[in-house]
Amino acid sequence: MKSITQLLVVALVAILVSSCAKIFYSPDAYILANSHRIIAIVPPTVSITAKRNVSAEAMKEQQNTEAISIQKEIYSWILRRKMQGKISQEIQEVITTNAILKKAGFPENPLTTAQLCEVLGVDGILTSNFGLSKPMSTGAAIAEALLSDSRSSTNEVHASLSISDYKNNKLIWNYDYKSSGSLGSTPSKLVDDLMREASLKMPYMN
């Protein structure tokens, strides 16, 4: 009886967590997504709650580090699903995407959806934003905790994934998600938790 009760509690928690997600589709989201032959994963915008005793330069460096780590994890996750036959689109390699964007001066030089797709030579782009209360990498998280004398191990995450179409220069899908994890949460676990939920609604998934 106890085990059944525990299972019901777990199920209820899962429902409550999933209800935190907000999803947007354009009316032609699936039609446009299916027309994409190649897509690129743009480095996410990452913001980490500023703490005392942490310089602006150190915070910026940590945000950039987390952004690249998360981008690579998203790429790896989608690539695995492509190998499983669940995604038909080609995925531009991260190293190629980042080299082209750096040459174009992005993100210091802002670009529209159409400009990003044009410079990258893709039909669609996956962009994302991550708001973190603490760094995701274990070493940085421990250092941050020591500096701020934090007693809490919870890392709250607010993530937003978006797919935009080149030809129509518009957003066709957005997934807004909130969750929390332990002090040692990693980009890999964050992305896995996020993508397992988001992929169920992503228009690229077969």
Side-chain angles (χ1 to χ4, degrees), residues 16 20-21 24 32 34 50-51 69 71 75 80 86 103 106 111 113 116 136 138-141 171 177 193 201:
L16 290 175
C20 293
F24 162 80
L32 294 178
N34 288 330
K51 302 293 183 180
S69 294
Q71 179 196 27
Y75 172 77
R80 286 196 299 272
K86 296 180 179 179
K103 187 175 181 179
F106 183 84
L111 298 174
T113 293
L116 278 171
M136 296 304 299
T138 303
L171 174 72
Y177 171 90
D193 290 344
K201 306 296 183 180

Short mmCIF file of all heavy atoms in Angstrom, two decimals, residues 16 20-21 24 32 34 50-51 69 71 75 80 86 103 106 111 113 116 136 138-141 171 177 193 201:
data_model
loop_
_atom_site.label_atom_id
_atom_site.label_comp_id
_atom_site.label_asym_id
_atom_site.label_seq_id
_atom_site.Cartn_x
_atom_site.Cartn_y
_atom_site.Cartn_z
N LEU A 16 2.47 18.07 -11.90
CA LEU A 16 2.60 19.46 -11.48
C LEU A 16 3.80 20.13 -12.13
O LEU A 16 3.75 21.29 -12.54
CB LEU A 16 2.74 19.53 -9.94
CG LEU A 16 1.48 19.16 -9.14
CD1 LEU A 16 1.79 19.14 -7.65
CD2 LEU A 16 0.35 20.14 -9.43
N CYS A 20 4.15 23.36 -15.46
CA CYS A 20 4.86 24.63 -15.41
C CYS A 20 5.32 25.07 -16.80
O CYS A 20 5.71 26.22 -16.97
CB CYS A 20 6.08 24.50 -14.49
SG CYS A 20 5.68 24.26 -12.75
N ALA A 21 5.31 24.14 -17.75
CA ALA A 21 5.76 24.47 -19.10
C ALA A 21 4.67 25.20 -19.88
O ALA A 21 3.49 24.88 -19.78
CB ALA A 21 6.15 23.19 -19.84
N PHE A 24 4.14 27.40 -27.24
CA PHE A 24 3.55 28.19 -28.32
C PHE A 24 3.84 27.52 -29.65
O PHE A 24 4.95 27.06 -29.90
CB PHE A 24 4.12 29.61 -28.34
CG PHE A 24 3.89 30.33 -29.64
CD1 PHE A 24 2.66 30.93 -29.92
CD2 PHE A 24 4.89 30.38 -30.61
CE1 PHE A 24 2.44 31.57 -31.13
CE2 PHE A 24 4.68 31.03 -31.82
CZ PHE A 24 3.45 31.62 -32.08
N LEU A 32 6.15 24.24 -41.65
CA LEU A 32 7.43 24.93 -41.84
C LEU A 32 8.59 24.09 -41.29
O LEU A 32 9.65 24.01 -41.91
CB LEU A 32 7.39 26.30 -41.19
CG LEU A 32 6.42 27.31 -41.80
CD1 LEU A 32 6.45 28.63 -41.04
CD2 LEU A 32 6.77 27.56 -43.27
N ASN A 34 8.82 20.88 -41.06
CA ASN A 34 9.06 19.75 -41.97
C ASN A 34 9.72 20.17 -43.28
O ASN A 34 10.28 19.34 -43.99
CB ASN A 34 7.74 19.03 -42.27
CG ASN A 34 7.23 18.23 -41.07
OD1 ASN A 34 8.02 17.75 -40.26
ND2 ASN A 34 5.91 18.11 -40.95
N ALA A 50 23.58 37.24 -9.99
CA ALA A 50 24.83 37.82 -9.48
C ALA A 50 24.92 37.64 -7.96
O ALA A 50 23.94 37.77 -7.24
CB ALA A 50 24.90 39.30 -9.84
N LYS A 51 26.12 37.32 -7.50
CA LYS A 51 26.37 37.15 -6.08
C LYS A 51 27.45 38.13 -5.63
O LYS A 51 28.28 38.58 -6.42
CB LYS A 51 26.84 35.72 -5.78
CG LYS A 51 25.86 34.63 -6.21
CD LYS A 51 24.58 34.66 -5.40
CE LYS A 51 23.65 33.52 -5.81
NZ LYS A 51 22.39 33.53 -5.05
N SER A 69 28.65 25.07 -23.09
CA SER A 69 28.40 23.72 -22.58
C SER A 69 26.96 23.29 -22.88
O SER A 69 26.72 22.16 -23.33
CB SER A 69 28.65 23.67 -21.06
OG SER A 69 30.00 23.88 -20.76
N GLN A 71 24.95 24.54 -25.20
CA GLN A 71 24.79 24.42 -26.65
C GLN A 71 25.26 23.04 -27.14
O GLN A 71 24.58 22.38 -27.92
CB GLN A 71 25.58 25.51 -27.37
CG GLN A 71 25.48 25.45 -28.89
CD GLN A 71 26.55 26.29 -29.58
OE1 GLN A 71 27.63 26.51 -29.01
NE2 GLN A 71 26.26 26.76 -30.78
N TYR A 75 23.04 20.02 -28.83
CA TYR A 75 23.45 19.44 -30.11
C TYR A 75 23.57 17.92 -29.99
O TYR A 75 23.06 17.17 -30.83
CB TYR A 75 24.78 20.05 -30.55
CG TYR A 75 25.40 19.38 -31.76
CD1 TYR A 75 24.91 19.63 -33.04
CD2 TYR A 75 26.48 18.50 -31.60
CE1 TYR A 75 25.48 19.01 -34.14
CE2 TYR A 75 27.05 17.89 -32.70
CZ TYR A 75 26.55 18.14 -33.97
OH TYR A 75 27.10 17.52 -35.06
N ARG A 80 21.59 12.52 -31.17
CA ARG A 80 21.24 11.15 -30.77
C ARG A 80 19.85 10.79 -31.28
O ARG A 80 19.61 9.66 -31.73
CB ARG A 80 21.32 11.01 -29.25
CG ARG A 80 22.73 10.97 -28.70
CD ARG A 80 22.76 10.43 -27.28
NE ARG A 80 21.99 11.25 -26.36
CZ ARG A 80 22.49 12.29 -25.70
NH1 ARG A 80 23.76 12.65 -25.87
NH2 ARG A 80 21.75 12.96 -24.86
N LYS A 86 14.39 9.77 -35.17
CA LYS A 86 13.28 10.57 -34.64
C LYS A 86 13.27 12.00 -35.17
O LYS A 86 12.30 12.73 -35.00
CB LYS A 86 13.33 10.57 -33.11
CG LYS A 86 13.13 9.19 -32.51
CD LYS A 86 13.18 9.23 -30.99
CE LYS A 86 12.94 7.84 -30.41
NZ LYS A 86 13.00 7.85 -28.92
N LYS A 103 32.76 35.11 -36.79
CA LYS A 103 33.22 35.91 -37.94
C LYS A 103 32.23 37.03 -38.25
O LYS A 103 32.62 38.12 -38.68
CB LYS A 103 33.39 35.00 -39.15
CG LYS A 103 34.02 35.70 -40.35
CD LYS A 103 34.28 34.71 -41.48
CE LYS A 103 34.93 35.40 -42.68
NZ LYS A 103 35.20 34.44 -43.79
N PHE A 106 28.66 38.16 -34.08
CA PHE A 106 27.52 37.86 -33.21
C PHE A 106 28.01 37.24 -31.90
O PHE A 106 28.94 36.46 -31.91
CB PHE A 106 26.58 36.88 -33.94
CG PHE A 106 25.33 36.53 -33.18
CD1 PHE A 106 24.21 37.36 -33.25
CD2 PHE A 106 25.26 35.38 -32.40
CE1 PHE A 106 23.06 37.05 -32.55
CE2 PHE A 106 24.11 35.06 -31.71
CZ PHE A 106 23.01 35.89 -31.79
N LEU A 111 21.74 40.20 -34.85
CA LEU A 111 21.24 39.78 -36.16
C LEU A 111 19.81 39.30 -36.02
O LEU A 111 19.44 38.70 -35.01
CB LEU A 111 22.11 38.64 -36.71
CG LEU A 111 23.59 38.95 -36.98
CD1 LEU A 111 24.32 37.67 -37.38
CD2 LEU A 111 23.74 40.01 -38.06
N THR A 113 16.44 36.97 -37.21
CA THR A 113 16.31 35.55 -37.52
C THR A 113 16.75 35.26 -38.95
O THR A 113 17.52 34.34 -39.21
CB THR A 113 14.85 35.10 -37.35
OG1 THR A 113 14.50 35.18 -35.97
CG2 THR A 113 14.65 33.67 -37.85
N LEU A 116 20.53 35.60 -39.30
CA LEU A 116 21.23 34.46 -38.69
C LEU A 116 21.17 33.25 -39.60
O LEU A 116 22.18 32.59 -39.84
CB LEU A 116 20.59 34.13 -37.33
CG LEU A 116 21.02 34.96 -36.13
CD1 LEU A 116 20.13 34.64 -34.93
CD2 LEU A 116 22.49 34.68 -35.78
N MET A 136 26.03 25.84 -13.27
CA MET A 136 25.66 24.44 -13.41
C MET A 136 26.84 23.50 -13.17
O MET A 136 26.67 22.42 -12.64
CB MET A 136 25.10 24.18 -14.81
CG MET A 136 23.81 24.92 -15.10
SD MET A 136 22.50 24.56 -13.90
CE MET A 136 22.29 22.80 -14.11
N THR A 138 29.91 21.67 -11.55
CA THR A 138 30.11 21.38 -10.14
C THR A 138 31.16 22.27 -9.50
O THR A 138 30.95 22.84 -8.44
CB THR A 138 30.51 19.90 -9.94
OG1 THR A 138 29.50 19.08 -10.52
CG2 THR A 138 30.66 19.57 -8.47
N GLY A 139 32.33 22.40 -10.16
CA GLY A 139 33.40 23.21 -9.59
C GLY A 139 32.99 24.65 -9.38
O GLY A 139 33.22 25.23 -8.32
N ALA A 140 32.37 25.24 -10.39
CA ALA A 140 31.94 26.63 -10.30
C ALA A 140 30.84 26.77 -9.26
O ALA A 140 30.78 27.77 -8.54
CB ALA A 140 31.44 27.12 -11.66
N ALA A 141 29.96 25.79 -9.16
CA ALA A 141 28.86 25.86 -8.20
C ALA A 141 29.39 25.82 -6.77
O ALA A 141 28.94 26.56 -5.90
CB ALA A 141 27.90 24.70 -8.43
N LEU A 171 9.03 33.30 -35.55
CA LEU A 171 9.03 32.26 -34.54
C LEU A 171 7.90 31.28 -34.84
O LEU A 171 6.76 31.69 -35.09
CB LEU A 171 8.80 32.89 -33.16
CG LEU A 171 8.63 31.96 -31.97
CD1 LEU A 171 9.95 31.30 -31.62
CD2 LEU A 171 8.08 32.74 -30.77
N TYR A 177 10.09 26.72 -19.75
CA TYR A 177 10.18 25.64 -18.77
C TYR A 177 10.88 26.11 -17.50
O TYR A 177 11.83 26.89 -17.54
CB TYR A 177 10.97 24.51 -19.43
CG TYR A 177 11.40 23.35 -18.58
CD1 TYR A 177 10.58 22.23 -18.44
CD2 TYR A 177 12.66 23.33 -17.97
CE1 TYR A 177 11.00 21.12 -17.70
CE2 TYR A 177 13.08 22.23 -17.22
CZ TYR A 177 12.25 21.13 -17.10
OH TYR A 177 12.67 20.04 -16.37
N ASP A 193 16.93 16.73 -18.91
CA ASP A 193 15.63 16.94 -18.28
C ASP A 193 14.74 17.83 -19.14
O ASP A 193 13.55 17.56 -19.32
CB ASP A 193 15.80 17.58 -16.90
CG ASP A 193 16.42 16.61 -15.90
OD1 ASP A 193 16.43 15.39 -16.17
OD2 ASP A 193 16.89 17.07 -14.84
N LYS A 201 6.88 17.87 -27.60
CA LYS A 201 6.07 18.91 -28.25
C LYS A 201 6.80 19.58 -29.42
O LYS A 201 6.24 20.40 -30.12
CB LYS A 201 5.70 19.99 -27.23
CG LYS A 201 5.01 19.46 -25.97
CD LYS A 201 3.66 18.84 -26.28
CE LYS A 201 2.96 18.38 -25.02
NZ LYS A 201 1.64 17.77 -25.31
#
